[in-house]
Amino acid sequence: MLQQILREMYIDPELLAELNDEQKHILFYKMREEQLRRWQEREARAAREEAEGGRPLKVKLSNSKHIQWLHGIDGEVWVWIMGEAPGDKPYEQISEELIAERARRQAQKEAEELWRQKEAEITKKFRDAMANEKARILAEKWKVEMEDRKAAKILEERIHEEFKRKEEEERKKGEMQIRLQEEQRAKELYWTLKQAQQQSQASEKEEREWEEQLRRSKAADEERRRKAQRARDEYRRHSLRAIQKGTVAGLSNMFQEIGLYNEQEAKLNNQHPNPTPPKSLLVPVRAWERPLRPVSRDVIIRWFKEEQLPRRAGFERNTKSIAPWFHGIISREYAEDLLSNMTEGAFLVRVSEKIWGYTLSYRQQHGFKHFLVDASGDFYSFLGVDPNRHATLTDLIDFHKEEIITVSGGELLQKPCGQRDNPPDYHMLFD
């Protein structure tokens, strides 16, 4: 089952839901190792093709662009928070003063421009009026043939003074209008900048929330890395343990198989005096074709009878008694209900409906854990947790009565959980 997942790089969601956190991390670690192995093979194949074709390998050029942060005397990145340094005004006061100053300068600049335009209009207006009036006076003078030059000059001065007075009044009126417009514009700019500041503060709040989410995400990534490291350590520990116990287990299984073979041969010799064995014993015939996954309870029962009973799955070692920890096809909820009144270390093994194998349900101090046992091949092993392979299901259980299942959880099988109802929940498997 594990080899199929690594080959297809895909796991069914229902099967993934049956795995606990440790099994998921181990499975992710193995899939990542498979990805790296495939990538390294592809890179090596590309390098060989480049060498055989005589083409030089492409050299990746490093990007020369970089960013260098300003550091303080403590060696850390220099940071100045406005309003919090010694001698700084409060941030709100600094912000208000900056907004008011910007609004005043902008309004003053706009008022000066308006005043220049207004002054040019006033100057042009009265210059043209003076020119016209002088032309009219000169024309009248020439009409009356220069009558009383002194009177004409006095009249001209009086008119000139009148125009100067009107010009001054016009200037004052224009200045008053510009001043009012400047004050009004300063207020408008103040409120505009104030709204911009509020929007900026809202965006800063969103940015802080985003930074908090980023911090939590980084913390979760760090936790996943720690779990993956624990999983790798556990993988190495089980591998060493398997090397130590592999030789002894193999010899034990070999002697057990020899004993079973001799016992069957003796029974056959007693039943058939003819020394030639039947043809059916010489050529084993598979009774059925196993689907890729369990599709129904009837198929699971047939699989158990066809493949697991000959391997003495569920029996105690070297006896015909069914092990007290063995259960039939029961749900996760029912298994947890059986274990709920037991102490930490209690366990049971139930036939799985998700894979060709079993599920070991374990009672923790607070809650439960469930481990999938792969039995699709010629051995029994935990899916994604324990690399050890065991010849029988009983060997796996006895092994973990002495050795913990995972380093992080420290699960040690101590007390089996037996049957509660009569008939037992596995009676359909042995009928």
Side-chain angles (χ1 to χ4, degrees):
M1 179 64 68
L2 180 60
Q3 294 298 326
Q4 179 182 354
I5 294 173
L6 295 178
R7 183 174 58 256
E8 299 176 356
M9 297 302 287
Y10 171 79
I11 181 171
D12 189 89
E14 296 181 358
L15 179 59
L16 183 62
E18 291 290 327
L19 301 176
N20 58 27
D21 291 340
E22 286 81 0
Q23 290 175 313
K24 289 178 182 177
H25 285 294
I26 289 291
L27 185 59
F28 170 77
Y29 171 70
K30 290 181 176 293
M31 294 177 73
R32 184 57 180 165
E33 278 189 339
E34 179 65 16
Q35 288 178 339
L36 290 174
R37 185 188 66 79
R38 294 182 184 179
W39 177 80
Q40 291 172 355
E41 288 182 354
R42 185 168 61 252
E43 291 293 319
R45 185 168 58 254
R48 289 195 301 270
E49 292 176 356
E50 291 285 347
E52 293 172 358
R55 292 178 297 176
L57 294 173
K58 295 181 179 179
V59 179
K60 297 182 179 179
L61 298 177
S62 61
N63 192 355
S64 60
K65 296 182 178 180
H66 65 280
I67 295 175
Q68 183 175 2
W69 296 98
L70 179 63
H71 290 77
I73 59 175
D74 57 354
E76 300 293 335
V77 176
W78 185 82
V79 179
W80 173 67
I81 303 176
M82 184 174 64
E84 296 185 5
D88 284 356
K89 297 179 180 179
Y91 175 78
E92 291 77 9
Q93 182 180 352
I94 296 174
S95 178
E96 290 289 339
E97 290 178 357
L98 289 176
I99 291 174
E101 180 64 20
R102 288 175 61 187
R104 186 188 64 77
R105 290 182 180 179
Q106 182 66 21
Q108 183 179 6
K109 184 178 179 180
E110 294 179 2
E112 290 176 355
E113 182 65 26
L114 290 174
W115 172 243
R116 282 195 295 269
Q117 296 176 1
K118 189 70 174 178
E119 187 177 20
E121 291 176 359
I122 294 172
T123 302
K124 185 177 181 301
K125 176 180 176 181
F126 285 96
R127 187 185 298 116
D128 294 343
M130 284 288 294
N132 293 331
E133 187 63 23
K134 284 182 179 181
R136 186 184 64 79
I137 293 173
L138 290 174
E140 290 180 355
K141 282 182 175 182
W142 285 105
K143 279 185 179 181
V144 297
E145 296 179 355
M146 303 294 291
E147 294 177 356
D148 199 357
R149 288 179 179 270
K150 186 177 180 180
K153 188 176 182 179
I154 293 173
L155 178 60
E156 181 182 355
E157 291 177 353
R158 188 169 59 248
I159 293 173
H160 182 68
E161 290 176 358
E162 182 66 21
F163 276 110
K164 282 188 67 176
R165 185 183 60 79
K166 291 183 178 179
E167 181 181 0
E168 188 65 26
E169 292 177 355
E170 191 73 18
R171 284 177 181 273
K172 291 181 179 180
K173 184 178 179 181
E175 288 178 356
M176 183 61 68
Q177 292 177 354
I178 294 299
R179 191 177 297 110
L180 292 175
Q181 291 179 4
E182 178 183 353
E183 294 177 358
Q184 183 66 24
R185 183 59 176 165
K187 291 180 181 179
E188 292 177 358
L189 290 172
Y190 173 81
W191 288 112
T192 301
L193 294 173
K194 188 70 174 177
Q195 292 175 357
Q197 183 195 29
Q198 293 175 354
Q199 293 176 358
S200 175
Q201 291 175 351
S203 63
E204 289 176 358
K205 181 180 179 182
E206 294 177 357
E207 184 177 357
R208 287 195 297 270
E209 292 176 354
W210 179 84
E211 289 177 352
E212 178 65 19
Q213 293 178 357
L214 180 62
R215 185 189 63 77
R216 293 178 181 175
S217 176
K218 288 182 178 179
D221 292 340
E222 183 65 26
E223 180 65 22
R224 283 193 290 271
R225 282 195 292 271
R226 286 198 296 270
K227 289 185 178 179
Q229 183 63 39
R230 289 199 298 268
R232 288 193 291 269
D233 296 340
E234 183 178 351
Y235 181 84
R236 296 190 188 98
R237 185 186 66 82
H238 283 300
S239 298
L240 293 174
R241 185 66 181 178
I243 292 173
Q244 295 173 358
K245 289 201 172 184
T247 305
V248 178
L251 291 174
S252 175
N253 294 332
M254 184 180 68
F255 288 130
Q256 183 178 1
E257 291 175 358
I258 291 174
L260 291 175
Y261 175 77
N262 292 335
E263 183 180 352
Q264 292 177 357
E265 186 177 8
K267 290 182 179 180
L268 290 174
N269 290 335
N270 293 332
Q271 293 176 1
H272 303 282
N274 190 355
T276 304
K279 186 175 181 181
S280 60
L281 294 177
L282 294 176
V283 183
V285 179
R286 193 173 184 85
W288 72 306
E289 289 294 332
R290 184 179 68 191
L292 293 177
R293 286 190 56 191
V295 294
S296 65
R297 287 203 166 206
D298 294 337
V299 174
I300 297 173
I301 293 173
R302 184 176 182 183
W303 164 78
F304 184 85
K305 291 180 178 180
E306 294 283 345
E307 297 188 17
Q308 297 299 298
L309 277 182
R311 298 170 65 179
R312 295 181 52 80
F315 287 90
E316 291 186 336
R317 188 185 303 277
N318 300 327
T319 66
K320 296 182 180 180
S321 302
I322 298 176
W325 41 261
F326 186 77
H327 290 257
I329 308 173
I330 61 176
S331 64
R332 174 194 289 240
E333 292 76 13
Y334 184 69
E336 292 179 354
D337 184 57
L338 291 175
L339 294 168
S340 60
N341 294 326
M342 303 191 70
T343 59
E344 182 180 8
F347 69 98
L348 62 85
V349 177
R350 52 192 172 92
V351 180
S352 175
E353 297 182 274
K354 303 296 182 182
I355 63 170
W356 297 116
Y358 305 88
T359 301
L360 188 147
S361 299
Y362 180 82
R363 181 71 165 94
Q364 291 182 296
Q365 184 176 3
H366 303 289
F368 308 91
K369 276 190 176 181
H370 304 273
F371 302 93
L372 291 178
V373 179
D374 184 11
S376 59
D378 296 331
F379 54 86
Y380 297 83
S381 66
F382 284 117
L383 184 61
V385 174
D386 185 3
N388 295 328
R389 296 182 176 184
H390 304 274
T392 65
L393 185 60
T394 305
D395 290 341
L396 184 144
I397 298 300
D398 291 344
F399 179 80
H400 287 289
K401 287 180 179 179
E402 300 177 359
E403 295 292 330
I404 58 176
I405 300 176
T406 63
V407 176
S408 59
E411 303 88 357
L412 198 64
L413 305 183
Q414 298 177 6
K415 185 176 181 180
C417 177
Q419 299 289 326
R420 185 170 64 184
D421 300 329
N422 193 16
D425 52 34
Y426 52 70
H427 72 278
M428 293 187 297
L429 301 175
F430 299 95
D431 289 344

